Amino acid sequence: MVRLPGRTGSRSAHRPHGRRLELASGPARRARGRVGHGHSGRDRPSSLRSALGGRSVAGQVFLLQVAIVVLLVAAAVVALVLQVRHDTDEEARNRSLAVAETFANAPGVREALAAPNPTAVLQPRAEAARKEAHVDFVVVMNTRGIRYTHPKPDRIGKQFVGTLQPALAGRTVVEQVDGTLGPLVQAVVPIRAPDGKVVGLVSAGITTRNVGGLADRQLPVVLGAAAVALALATAGTALVTRRLLRQTHGLGPREMTRMYEHHDAVLHSVREGVIIVGDDGRLLLANDEAQRLLGLPEDAERRPVLDLGLPPETAELLASGRIATDEVHLVGDRLLAINQRPTDMPGGPSGSVATLRDSTELRALSGRAEKARERLSLLYDAGVGVGTTLDVTRTAEELVQVAVPRFADFATVDLYDAVLAGEDPDPGAALRRTAFAGIREDTPLYPLGQEIRFIPSTPQALGLKSRRPVLEPRLDAAPGWQAQDAEHTERVLASGIHSLIAVPVRAGNLLLGLVSFWRSEKDEPFDSEELALAEELVARAAVSIDNARRYTREHGLAVTLQRSLLPRSLPEQNALDIAHRYLPAQAGVGGDWFDVLPLSGARVALVVGDVVGHGLHAAATMGRLRTAVSNFSALDLPPEELLGLLDELVGRIDQDETADSSGVPVTGATCLYAVYDPVSRRCAVARAGHPPPAVVGPDGEVTFPEVPAGPPLGLGGLPFETAELELAEGSRLVLYTDGLVMDRERNIDAGLAELRTALASAGESPEDTCRAALGVRPSRPVDDIAVLVARTRALGSGQVAEWDVPGEASAVGDVRAAVSRRLVEWGLEELTFTTELILSELVTNAIRYGGEPIRVRVLCDRCLICEVFDSSNTSPHLRYAATTDEGGRGLFLVAQLAERWGTRYTPTGKAIWAEQPLP
């Protein structure tokens, strides 16, 4: 309908006389305003940056000027540097030569060379001359090049570094060298006797860095001139650019053509009404959409807006020119949203422009869309906020917190007790109120923890029976609900609660409980759409509740299994004072374990291990490994050999699990095995991928001994190594799993540093040490934590008796006599006969079948321990001797008399031991 001036069309381009709103020149006027009016300050920097960027002629000239200035400055700097370097070398040569000749010809120098101590005479004079002449050194030397003077006295008497032959021949030498002071120039001048013979040499030198300084004075001048040239080039370019912007109004020919073409196309194709009104209240322009929305006549342009037949409020707004934002006006049967702004705000002609949008259908749809958006937002928040933990009660609490107050004023969750315990629910059992949330606390609804049984007529019972949600829009007209408890329901109605939705919590075929939504604040009752929303909300939460129930059951089984596999009590022994702690992870049951195993010879083995992962499989694997370690320890193997056997066992377990597709292989297991001997106070430690132990000395000093870190169990192919530690009596050995010192936010180095600090301030008892160690655990541990603290004891010399036995049969009697005397000293006369018999058999076997050296050791601990050592690796076996056999009954007698007996291999052979209980 509207055409721009100069274009063909049905509408005239004539405008009223006086001040007109020039549409065609509007963009050019705005560009002009950017240059000459209030917006020039904002737009000029961007235009200047565009010009200086090289996209205009002025910018290209500016870049050329910059290049010329940079080339000239670079040439000047290079020339200056070369000239200064040449002048520096010349000045250094001249100064060093002048100083050397002057000092060589100075009175008394030649005579000083002949003095008994030339250095005492020449050194002060040389240093004075050096400082006066501003050189780095003045050296006087004899004809062999031995220095008599030097700025550094430690160099006097040493050979001069430089060319001397020409100077010895009577000539002067000037050379450049790299000396101890850096690049320098030195001159060597001969000292002549009256007969012309060279009797000494003088050398003076100066480093090149101490000469010159001309460049430091001239270079700022050159750079300053360059800066001035660049500033002048920039100012000239800015002036030219500003002149061009003023002449073209910031627009090029192509931009102006494209602007006029787009102006007409956009104005008539946009689906929003646009009208322009002059300052005299006349309509200057209305696009096609404005003609349709307002129902304007064909001759509406140039007429007063008040005469166009529009509703009074709409016509008054358009004629007033006041600012309006999304004002809604009824025009005919349409609701129009009007936005209006004056046109002279950016410096344009006076008048106003208004845009019109038809919001009739939008207003109707917006209400429904907003309600749908709120419901989707509620379901989304429920999906994100419900089920964040695997706790049934917490999940129910999260559900009611999401529902109140966005969906209901009160919400309750009632679950079967079996669900709370992780079991399958019994539909005939009573419900227990598990969660409650409301807009206020003073409500007469059943409290938390109360056991509830709904009678068949209530909506809750109907929902549980049908497994479908039930809507009770008006509780005051629901006799079935009121029949539950007349007095209670009256209090509920009196509190303002008037509508109810009861939704059963279903997970597959299981019915877990019931969720009730109550309304009190809104007068409108719940409707069918809200019933569907409540069903969807509870269905999403039911999955999380069922997952929490299943986890509770599995976690309980795993905890029970794990507790049954861990040691319930520690064995009695006198070598170590033991304290221990085990903390399961919050995320589930893990595979950490520890153990204390008494060994022969009053020794004790300490074990700490960790199976990677959580759940029943990790707990079961832990039990298998703990049993294996207990069995392997009975073989009295060194720690590295025991870990090797355990590594093979884990490998076989992995092979068996891999062969069985239903099994899960051991993804990783670590172990630390330590054996402490209270007689020698030495502890043998080996570890397989486990954190190192900590040792707290009697003085409180904490160390982490260097124990070779073997690979985790199950990898195979690599041996394990044992470290021998000597522990003073009263030392505390701290063994732990990685859950104590590692988590997602802390690496093992930081954890060990915190553990060191905590142990250093711990009390001396193992219990105090355990508590201090647990102080560094993470606030929310994701892995199990096992801590084992052992304070060492030592068997005193009065509890140990040793004898070396010669390899002769007659030595057996001497051993029996010595042992008898020691048993009398210990007050164990009752054990004399059995002990003599045991040692007789063991020593006789060692003499007959073993090898020297043979040694007998008797220990008085919780029991009487007899040990016979020899160098043979052959272990005797218990057997029944035939009636015709002459021997073979010795070990049988030992086994009958001793409570326990066995063989232990040592680095030098073996030891056969037997234990007897103390009377």
Side-chain angles (χ1 to χ4, degrees):
M1 297 293 292
V2 178
R3 293 294 182 266
L4 296 177
R7 295 185 179 274
T8 60
S10 60
R11 189 171 301 279
S12 171
H14 176 70
R15 292 288 180 265
H17 295 288
R19 189 173 185 183
R20 297 180 294 115
L21 191 70
E22 303 173 73
L23 295 178
S25 59
R29 180 180 295 106
R30 285 193 296 274
R32 220 173 24 248
R34 286 195 299 268
V35 176
H37 294 83
H39 293 272
S40 61
R42 258 192 329 267
D43 297 337
R44 190 182 301 112
S46 62
S47 302
L48 182 59
R49 285 194 299 270
S50 176
L52 296 179
R55 289 180 292 177
S56 65
V57 175
Q60 295 172 0
V61 172
F62 173 72
L63 293 178
L64 179 61
Q65 292 175 340
V66 171
I68 294 174
V69 171
V70 170
L71 289 176
L72 291 176
V73 171
V77 170
V78 171
L80 177 62
V81 170
L82 294 176
Q83 181 63 37
V84 168
R85 182 177 297 177
H86 177 268
D87 293 346
T88 298
D89 292 344
E90 286 298 320
E91 182 177 352
R93 296 171 65 91
N94 295 336
R95 189 187 301 181
S96 60
L97 181 60
V99 172
E101 290 180 343
T102 301
F103 195 89
N105 297 320
V109 173
R110 186 174 64 251
E111 290 77 3
L113 290 175
N117 188 0
T119 298
V121 179
L122 295 175
Q123 175 69 6
R125 298 178 60 185
E127 283 302 295
R130 178 182 67 82
K131 295 177 182 179
E132 184 69 23
H134 301 290
V135 294
D136 290 302
F137 65 86
V138 175
V139 175
V140 181
M141 67 197 87
N142 59 17
T143 55
R144 296 191 307 276
I146 302 302
R147 300 188 185 101
Y148 290 143
T149 66
H150 197 277
K152 296 182 178 180
D154 60 334
R155 305 287 178 85
I156 298 174
K158 297 183 180 179
Q159 185 70 33
F160 177 79
V161 179
T163 304
L164 301 179
Q165 295 303 325
L168 294 175
R171 297 192 300 274
T172 299
V173 179
V174 181
E175 58 182 347
Q176 292 182 343
V177 296
D178 285 333
T180 58
L181 301 178
L184 54 87
V185 176
Q186 64 183 14
V188 182
V189 176
I191 303 174
R192 299 176 181 272
D195 57 356
K197 181 182 179 181
V198 176
V199 297
L201 303 174
V202 176
S203 176
I206 184 172
T207 56
T208 56
R209 68 171 180 268
N210 293 332
V211 183
L214 183 61
D216 296 338
R217 297 189 296 273
Q218 294 180 348
L219 189 58
V221 177
V222 175
L223 297 179
V228 172
L230 287 176
L232 292 176
T234 304
T237 303
L239 293 176
V240 172
T241 301
R242 184 174 181 181
R243 182 66 177 271
L244 291 175
L245 292 175
R246 185 181 295 111
Q247 291 180 349
T248 62
H249 306 296
L251 296 175
R254 184 179 301 175
E255 292 175 334
M256 296 180 67
T257 302
R258 184 169 61 250
M259 178 189 65
Y260 279 104
E261 292 175 349
H262 290 174
H263 185 280
D264 191 26
V266 171
L267 184 63
H268 295 287
S269 63
V270 68
R271 301 310 300 165
E272 192 171 80
V274 179
I275 64 173
I276 299 179
V277 180
D279 57 350
D280 55 357
R282 293 180 180 275
L283 178 65
L284 300 182
L285 182 143
N287 69 347
D288 298 341
E289 184 68 9
Q291 293 275 354
R292 183 182 71 84
L293 295 176
L294 296 176
L296 298 178
E298 291 291 333
D299 59 346
E301 292 189 11
R302 299 181 305 279
R303 291 174 56 185
V305 175
L306 298 175
D307 297 341
L308 297 179
L310 299 176
E313 293 182 359
T314 305
E316 182 182 354
L317 170 63
L318 298 177
S320 66
R322 65 180 176 84
I323 296 177
T325 301
D326 286 336
E327 286 193 17
V328 179
H329 290 255
L330 180 62
V331 180
D333 58 350
R334 293 186 177 91
L335 287 174
L336 301 182
I338 301 177
N339 290 274
Q340 183 168 268
R341 295 292 185 275
T343 57
D344 58 356
M345 292 180 65
S350 59
S352 62
V353 58
T355 59
L356 314 171
R357 286 183 289 108
D358 188 357
S359 62
T360 306
E361 297 180 356
L362 181 63
R363 182 60 61 91
L365 292 174
S366 62
R368 294 195 294 271
E370 179 65 20
K371 187 175 294 185
R373 186 195 66 79
E374 291 178 357
R375 292 178 178 177
L376 288 175
S377 176
L378 176 63
L379 293 176
Y380 172 78
D381 292 343
V384 174
V386 178
T388 59
T389 65
L390 290 173
D391 182 82
V392 176
T393 302
R394 179 57 187 161
T395 303
E397 293 172 350
E398 292 171 345
L399 171 59
V400 297
Q401 289 170 1
V402 169
V404 177
R406 298 168 62 180
F407 177 70
D409 297 320
F410 300 94
T412 59
V413 178
D414 306 318
L415 300 176
Y416 294 107
D417 286 334
V419 174
L420 298 175
E423 303 298 332
D424 291 341
D426 180 9
L431 296 171
R432 188 170 300 279
R433 180 133 300 175
T434 306
F436 167 82
I439 57 176
R440 59 180 183 270
E441 295 294 333
D442 56 339
T443 174
L445 296 174
Y446 292 131
L448 286 175
Q450 180 168 339
E451 188 178 273
I452 306 172
R453 288 185 181 272
F454 294 104
I455 63 175
S457 63
T458 60
Q460 292 91 337
L462 294 175
L464 292 173
K465 182 178 180 180
S466 65
R467 296 178 176 242
R468 301 291 301 171
V470 176
L471 169 63
E472 194 64 66
R474 292 292 180 185
L475 293 177
D476 55 359
W481 172 75
Q482 297 179 14
Q484 172 75 22
D485 184 345
E487 182 180 353
H488 174 75
T489 55
E490 287 181 5
R491 292 198 305 268
V492 173
L493 292 174
S495 67
I497 297 176
H498 59 81
S499 189
L500 165 67
I501 292 178
V503 185
V505 182
R506 294 182 292 113
N509 296 326
L510 296 179
L511 188 63
L512 307 179
L514 185 78
V515 180
S516 301
F517 301 100
W518 313 79
R519 175 169 288 177
S520 65
E521 294 298 311
K522 294 182 180 179
D523 294 333
E524 300 82 7
F526 287 117
D527 55 26
S528 58
E529 292 185 0
E530 291 170 322
L531 179 67
L533 176 60
E535 183 178 14
E536 177 67 20
L537 182 63
V538 174
R540 297 192 179 194
V543 177
S544 299
I545 293 176
D546 189 53
N547 288 340
R549 178 189 68 85
R550 294 173 182 270
Y551 171 78
T552 301
R553 178 176 59 186
E554 180 181 346
H555 183 71
L557 292 175
V559 169
T560 302
L561 174 63
Q562 187 183 40
R563 293 296 185 185
S564 66
L565 295 176
L566 288 173
R568 299 180 181 179
S569 61
L570 298 181
E572 296 181 355
Q573 44 80 34
N574 290 342
L576 298 169
D577 293 330
I578 301 293
H580 60 88
R581 294 289 188 279
Y582 177 79
L583 299 179
Q586 296 183 0
V589 175
D592 292 13
W593 91 91
F594 63 90
D595 215 340
V596 178
L597 305 169
L599 302 178
S600 63
R603 297 171 304 130
V604 178
L606 303 176
V607 190
V608 173
D610 183 8
V611 176
V612 175
H614 298 87
L616 288 173
H617 178 73
T621 303
M622 176 269 287
R624 298 170 72 177
L625 295 182
R626 176 173 175 256
T627 302
V629 172
S630 178
N631 293 334
F632 290 152
S633 67
L635 301 177
D636 263 333
L637 298 174
E640 72 275 9
E641 294 185 19
L642 185 141
L643 291 182
L645 293 176
L646 200 62
D647 181 60
E648 294 179 6
L649 174 64
V650 173
R652 288 197 299 271
I653 294 176
D654 283 346
Q655 292 176 2
D656 295 341
E657 297 290 356
T658 304
D660 182 5
S661 58
S662 62
V664 180
V666 181
T667 57
T670 65
C671 183
L672 186 147
Y673 186 81
V675 177
Y676 174 70
D677 186 350
V679 178
S680 63
R681 293 184 291 102
R682 299 189 66 82
C683 183
V685 185
R687 59 188 179 115
H690 203 81
V695 176
V696 185
D699 57 353
E701 181 183 1
V702 181
T703 59
F704 291 94
E706 291 291 337
V707 179
L713 300 176
L715 297 184
L718 295 175
F720 299 96
E721 298 182 55
T722 298
E724 290 283 345
L725 310 178
E726 184 170 354
L727 304 178
E729 186 174 6
S731 299
R732 283 161 285 165
L733 186 64
V734 182
L735 311 182
Y736 51 91
T737 56
D738 58 2
L740 179 67
V741 294
M742 290 180 62
D743 59 9
R744 295 187 180 95
E745 300 177 355
R746 179 178 60 172
N747 59 29
I748 189 170
D749 292 333
L752 292 179
E754 294 181 15
L755 180 61
R756 181 194 300 271
T757 303
L759 294 178
S761 59
E764 295 182 358
S765 69
E767 289 292 336
D768 293 340
T769 307
C770 257
R771 284 191 290 270
L774 290 179
V776 305
R777 69 183 186 274
S779 57
R780 293 184 59 86
V782 297
D783 195 6
D784 292 10
I785 297 175
V787 179
L788 186 64
V789 178
R791 184 173 61 185
T792 62
R793 295 179 179 178
L795 285 180
S797 58
Q799 297 176 273
V800 181
E802 294 184 89
W803 299 275
D804 291 327
V805 180
E808 301 174 357
S810 59
V812 177
D814 298 336
V815 171
R816 287 199 303 266
V819 169
S820 298
R821 289 192 297 270
R822 182 53 60 95
L823 291 179
V824 172
E825 295 177 6
W826 288 342
L828 300 176
E829 295 87 348
E830 298 179 19
L831 299 179
T832 302
F833 176 74
T834 56
T835 304
E836 288 181 351
L837 184 57
I838 290 173
L839 285 179
S840 295
E841 295 297 334
L842 296 182
V843 173
T844 301
N845 282 342
I847 294 173
R848 183 176 299 176
Y849 305 109
E852 295 186 5
I854 301 173
R855 183 166 55 92
V856 173
R857 185 173 72 173
V858 180
L859 307 177
C860 182
D861 191 34
R862 301 184 66 87
C863 59
L864 184 65
I865 305 171
C866 299
E867 297 176 322
V868 177
F869 299 84
D870 64 72
S871 60
S872 173
N873 291 322
T874 303
S875 176
H877 298 282
L878 182 65
R879 65 185 180 88
Y880 285 101
T883 56
T884 58
D885 291 342
E886 294 184 1
R889 298 176 179 82
L891 286 181
F892 183 81
L893 291 175
V894 172
Q896 296 300 313
L897 296 175
E899 186 178 45
R900 290 197 315 152
W901 75 280
T903 303
R904 177 174 77 250
Y905 291 98
T906 65
T908 59
K910 71 175 184 297
I912 303 178
W913 55 270
E915 295 180 358
Q916 302 176 74
L918 298 180

